[in-house]
Amino acid sequence: PSPRGFAMLSRRHFLQGSAAAFAAGPAFALSPRPGGAATSLTLTAGAMPHRLPGCSADSLLWGYNSTWPLELRVQRGRPFEAVLKNALPDHTAIHWHGLRIPFEMDGVSYFTQAPVEPGQSFRYAFSPPDPGTFFFHPHCDTITQLGRGLAGVLVVEDPRDAGLFDHDQVLVLKDWRVRRDGSFEDFTTDAGAAKAGTFGSVRSVNGAAPPEIVVRPGARLRLRLVNIDLTRIPMLGLRGAAQAAIIATDGNACTPFPVDGWRLGPAMRADLGVVMPATEGAEVFLEDIWSTKPRLLAKLVTRGAALRRDGAQPALRLPEAELPVPDLKAATELEMALLAGHADPKMEAWAKANGVSIDELCLTRKVFWSINRQSWPGMGPGLKPDPLYELKAGRSYVIEIFNGTPHLHPMHLHGHTFRVVASTEEDVRPHWSDTVLVRPKERVKIAFVAGLPGDWMVHCHIIEHQETGMMGYIRVA
Ligand code: C2O
Ligand code: CU
């Protein structure tokens, strides 16, 4: 039973507005101007009070534009501009997760840009090349900044799928390291960082208790699940629908496949297409079925006159993704080993010699993990390890990722959308992704065409793993 019910705005309603922003349930939508003018806005990063579920007082979250979670909607291929204004007490930047945009826009502090200091601003401008469900977040001291909630959702609309759904709803999954009085606990622990990560104590969907979403019988919904948690890997389960499928992975259209059992690691997105039963009072449950006792993520309920009867309907699938297709026969094969790691004495010496404290290097003091036996040494002016690989733009590559640790790692590559093509542990349904979950002992093959020139980060998106060594980069020239 959900303490919080809200009726949904139709997709048409979302798109009617001018550039003005308006509230939609617990989320917030910003419509592009009709007619294709550039969408331009300010994103003010700042602290904001917000009551998390089960807490007796507000928590001081960090977010954008005093809205949590902030949801932006833009059009594929149209110019988009966002000026980040930093009203936080700490420096920050915005990484646009999963977007294939130029390196200078990738938002990695000390790496693609200077960090944006308190009171300063930075202008991001690009045209999102691919449609889908994306998100954005800082990339330095992410344990604390994302731990406090600093992230937003970016939906890139595709004119090709207009009219496929009656409702389009973003569901942001995030846990919080908070006490009942709303104050934050330590965001990281050594025991967590060295293992599966430090879990939050309060779970939330769109910053609240699981929503109850009321729709008409027979309605077709697109649920855009975005896991922005730093640690948790839910396993999805859906029951009660007339029809349901995962129709996009990490925002990219896929051949529809069953929802049940799909694991959504940190940073991963799944778009679900759902057709509601044609009867009134029907209930559909979206759950995390990872543990023996399923956890509700959202409940859908039908009310009112039927919107549609079963029968002739468009298929529950999105128009094909339009991405550079790797040539598997011509591809160069590379290996990436995920292993435990150790502090590099060279790094400590470097920090000392340069008068830099390790805390300034977007790194915690501990090192537990490595990629290809190299632990990320942190970021700072003049501190840059060698790339993991040097690739040629336009050429095809296959990377075999081997997980030699006892924990799962959702591995993310910046600036590219890759194809997950093979696994030693299961029959993979080939699909597009930017973050792939690799299980202990598993070898997963990803394939892609090297994209825009730049140094593209690759790292685990369990943020404590990322910040204790499991990060590197790939150079594309
Ligand atoms: Cu979502 Cu390197 O990040
Ligand atoms: Cu990891």
Side-chain angles (χ1 to χ4, degrees), residues 95 97-98 108 135 137-139 267 412 414 457 459 461 466 471:
H95 168 57
H97 183 115
V108 180
F135 77 117
H137 62 84
H139 217 280
H412 171 50
H414 285 211
M457 311 291 319
H459 61 87
H461 224 287
Q466 172 191 2
M471 178 149 74

Side-chain angles (χ1 to χ4, degrees), residues 217-228:
R220 293 166 64 94
L221 290 93
R222 178 177 190 166
L223 301 178
R224 300 176 185 261
L225 267 62
V226 187
N227 181 6
I228 68 162

Side-chain angles (χ1 to χ4, degrees), residues 3-242:
R4 175 166 194 149
F6 63 90
M8 295 186 58
L9 291 173
S10 72
R11 176 191 178 84
R12 214 163 294 119
H13 194 150
F14 272 120
L15 297 174
Q16 267 166 11
S18 65
F22 53 89
F28 172 94
L30 197 124
S31 303
R33 266 178 236 121
T39 300
S40 140
L41 73 148
T42 301
L43 290 173
T44 305
M48 49 178 288
H50 181 96
R51 184 67 57 91
L52 291 168
C55 290
S56 56
D58 287 351
S59 301
L60 203 59
L61 305 193
W62 286 9
Y64 300 105
N65 296 357
S66 300
T67 308
W68 212 97
L70 182 70
E71 177 187 327
L72 305 177
R73 288 189 177 241
V74 300
Q75 291 284 312
R76 176 187 189 188
R78 301 261 179 86
F80 167 70
E81 179 189 89
V83 175
L84 166 65
K85 286 205 172 139
N86 185 3
L88 295 168
D90 192 6
H91 67 68
T92 191
I94 296 180
H95 168 57
W96 307 89
H97 183 115
L99 273 75
R100 298 184 306 127
I101 54 179
F103 180 66
E104 311 75 63
M105 294 287 110
D106 200 41
V108 180
S109 291
Y110 298 115
F111 209 74
T112 70
Q113 66 170 90
V116 183
E117 297 297 335
Q120 305 287 292
S121 47
F122 187 89
R123 179 177 166 273
Y124 295 95
F126 52 84
S127 299
D130 306 310
T133 308
F134 300 95
F135 77 117
F136 51 99
H137 62 84
H139 217 280
C140 181
D141 195 17
T142 316
I143 292 177
T144 305
Q145 297 202 353
L146 184 59
R148 284 182 171 269
L150 194 60
V153 173
L154 182 73
V155 172
V156 182
E157 301 266 5
D158 187 349
R160 296 179 306 159
D161 64 42
L164 257 183
F165 299 96
D166 305 307
H167 302 281
D168 183 320
Q169 178 67 42
V170 168
L171 298 172
V172 177
L173 311 183
K174 182 174 183 337
D175 303 345
W176 305 87
R177 299 267 307 151
V178 284
R179 306 183 186 90
R180 284 195 65 89
D181 67 1
S183 62
F184 284 105
E185 301 168 83
D186 287 343
F187 292 103
T188 181
T189 60
D190 287 354
K195 293 188 173 131
T198 306
F199 288 82
S201 44
V202 166
R203 299 182 69 170
S204 75
V205 179
N206 291 345
E212 181 172 305
I213 299 170
V214 179
V215 295
R216 304 262 292 276
R220 293 166 64 94
L221 290 93
R222 178 177 190 166
L223 301 178
R224 300 176 185 261
L225 267 62
V226 187
N227 181 6
I228 68 162
D229 195 51
L230 292 75
T231 311
R232 191 181 297 277
I233 304 171
M235 180 184 271
L236 303 180
L238 189 104
R239 51 196 173 86

Side-chain angles (χ1 to χ4, degrees), residues 40 83 132 156 213 242 288 293 369 438 455:
S40 140
V83 175
V156 182
I213 299 170
D288 173 3
K293 194 171 174 295
W369 307 102
V438 191
D455 288 345

Side-chain angles (χ1 to χ4, degrees), residues 195-196 338 369 405 407-411 459-466 470:
K195 293 188 173 131
L338 312 178
W369 307 102
T405 81
H407 301 284
L408 289 134
H409 302 290
M411 296 302 296
H459 61 87
C460 180
H461 224 287
I462 289 179
I463 307 295
E464 288 169 289
H465 293 177
Q466 172 191 2
M470 198 175 276

